[in-house]
Amino acid sequence: MSIPIAIIGTGIAGLSAAQALVEAGLDVQLFDKSRGSGGRMASKRSESGSLDLGAQYFTARDRRFAEAVQQWRARGWAAEWTPALYHAREGRLSPSPDEQVRWVGTPRMSSITRAMLGALPVQFSCRITEVFRGDQHWHLQDADGNSHGPFSHAIVATPAPQATNLLAAAPKLASVAASVTMEPTWSVALSFAEPLDTPVEGCFAQDSPLDWLARTQSKPGRAPSPDSWVLHASSEWSRHNLDLSKECVIEALHGAFAEMIGCAVPPPVESIAHRWLYARPATAHQWGALSDGDLGLYACGDWCSSGRVEGAWLSGQETAKRLQAHIANHAWN
Ligand code: FAD
Ligand code: NAD
């Protein structure tokens, strides 16, 4: 067995890179600070079933990503979602149908990353605090004081603010990561004993604390009851209410939802709030990935690209491509 490549982060970017490298015959070892894979594509198991508190759906505009999504669909990991779409503006709710194809993981968003992880070697609940190079190889230090290694290369696949320190061995890459601002999102799920009397299944909102809401049961493969809704606060509202208690966030977003949805909204039987501190990059970038090939240090994630599932996946592919190209060039020299 060859010396593996360390990948920090098992979101879609890290897993996309891992998959491409393994397909090329290289060994990888993954690490994540969470208890499971998926990052912002994770789903939360609750009394109301699995709830997608992060990414809601994804689109596939790039040919390579569209091909990957078709494979996920064929394997039963993803399916098309065709919600009755609305938009809410200035307190008015209107139908807003369109032709865009939208995808979700089935039976939950995290099914895709779970399947991509498969049997790859991974260590969960392992927060990496340092990535450093010895004489020849890379080593990692975790928050519990354990060290890991040796690794031939290191790929940092975390959100930019968490990547900055981990990229310290390559100051240029670290300063690019440090220049990225990531916006927060408060996400709330509300479950109702009886279905709400509304045709809305997805809604883009403006002029409200909310910028998005979705009815879980309209997504393919979800449990038929209870009637669960995921509400996302806008970046602006989330930023201004970053330190509000979960109870207060639930109350505020429940109120905004009741005002917007145009039907009676009873008290929920279950309510969950989750704060995503680094939900999305404030602006899109076109770096694809960051790399110092001679050093063997790479970074990928949605913040290197479009700030969406597709961008994160493409960034992982770009990282794997650059790393393989460097190995190939090195072999020739
Ligand atoms: P992440 O998914 O964040 O993965 C990074 C991983 O790194 C995480 O698992 C984390 O635990 C781990 N990690 C971080 N630091 C460390 C460390 N020090 N040591 C070890 N592990 C570490 N995109 C869409 O296309 N459509 C949508 O509808 C959509 N809606 C969204 C709604 C919300 C509320 C949020 C938060 C995001 C949404 N997105 C959406 C964006 C999409 O989820 C992301 O672009 C994508 O999932 C990012 O993947 P990633 O692999 O780059 O990062
Ligand atoms: P998309 O093409 O469905 O949406 C892109 C944007 O176009 C939407 O945000 C919305 O403003 C607008 N839009 C699209 N269809 C519309 C319709 N029928 N009626 C009214 N407005 C419509 O999807 P995408 O380009 O793949 O983007 C992914 C989605 O993920 C976006 O909605 C984005 O806001 C969301 N996202 C959210 C977070 C977060 O933290 N909350 C993070 C990343 C992405």
Side-chain angles (χ1 to χ4, degrees):
M1 194 171 131
S2 61
I3 295 175
I5 297 162
I7 303 182
I8 303 150
T10 62
I12 188 89
L15 288 169
S16 163
Q19 219 175 29
L21 293 168
V22 168
E23 276 167 19
L26 297 163
D27 290 319
V28 299
Q29 167 71 50
L30 292 126
F31 299 87
D32 205 295
K33 68 180 174 60
S34 299
R35 277 178 296 163
S37 59
R40 281 169 278 160
M41 285 179 82
S43 309
K44 182 166 179 64
R45 284 173 204 265
S46 77
E47 287 168 20
S48 311
S50 275
L51 300 166
D52 303 334
L53 292 178
Q56 297 295 292
Y57 65 85
F58 50 90
T59 56
R61 299 188 170 107
D62 180 277
R63 180 190 48 79
R64 293 160 296 171
F65 184 58
E67 282 169 10
V69 174
Q70 286 303 336
Q71 286 177 15
W72 300 347
R73 187 192 56 77
R75 293 172 184 163
W77 308 350
E80 198 178 330
W81 180 42
T82 52
L85 270 182
Y86 283 70
H87 68 235
R89 265 179 227 144
E90 293 166 358
R92 288 193 44 206
L93 194 63
S94 326
S96 191
D98 64 19
E99 302 290 310
Q100 180 65 54
V101 176
R102 295 181 174 84
W103 299 93
V104 294
T106 49
R108 56 189 72 89
M109 192 53 104
S110 60
S111 305
I112 296 169
T113 45
R114 177 70 57 89
M116 285 172 79
L117 179 65
L120 293 179
V122 62
Q123 241 175 290
F124 288 122
S125 304
C126 182
R127 188 163 69 82
I128 302 301
T129 51
E130 208 184 329
V131 178
F132 60 95
R133 205 179 143 89
D135 284 346
Q136 268 193 305
H137 296 119
W138 288 94
H139 300 266
L140 312 181
Q141 189 77 24
D142 72 27
D144 295 327
N146 303 310
S147 36
H148 307 268
F151 300 108
S152 61
H153 305 76
I155 299 176
V156 176
T158 69
Q162 292 160 323
T164 304
N165 283 344
L166 302 180
L167 293 171
K172 277 190 188 158
L173 306 195
S175 77
V176 175
S179 73
V180 176
T181 303
M182 293 197 72
E183 296 278 12
T185 295
W186 269 111
S187 177
V188 161
L190 303 176
S191 302
F192 302 98
E194 298 296 329
L196 300 188
D197 184 17
T198 171
V200 176
E201 293 178 330
C203 180
F204 298 99
Q206 284 169 1
D207 318 311
S208 161
L210 296 174
D211 73 4
W212 166 256
L213 52 94
R215 189 173 221 161
T216 298
Q217 277 60 42
S218 66
K219 294 184 176 180
R222 270 61 176 175
S225 65
D227 189 20
S228 298
W229 293 75
V230 172
L231 320 176
H232 284 166
S234 66
S235 299
E236 192 187 0
W237 192 93
S238 303
R239 213 182 316 115
H240 285 131
N241 295 282
L242 204 57
D243 295 320
L244 216 55
S245 69
K246 287 187 174 179
E247 292 71 25
C248 290
V249 169
I250 288 169
E251 193 184 328
L253 298 189
H254 178 270
F257 176 58
E259 209 168 284
M260 184 184 297
I261 200 72
C263 67
V265 178
V269 289
E270 189 181 14
S271 50
I272 295 171
H274 183 84
R275 185 183 71 171
W276 298 98
L277 206 46
Y278 306 125
R280 56 172 140 201
T283 50
H285 301 101
Q286 291 183 345
W287 303 316
L290 306 185
S291 52
D292 184 328
D294 290 335
L295 206 54
L297 186 60
Y298 297 78
C300 58
D302 64 340
W303 53 277
C304 291
S305 181
S306 69
R308 296 152 52 236
V309 169
E310 179 177 48
W313 184 88
L314 287 168
S315 179
Q317 296 287 302
E318 175 66 20
T319 301
K321 196 168 110 188
R322 289 190 197 180
L323 195 154
Q324 284 170 256
H326 196 268
I327 292 176
N329 284 340
H330 210 64
W332 282 106
N333 292 334

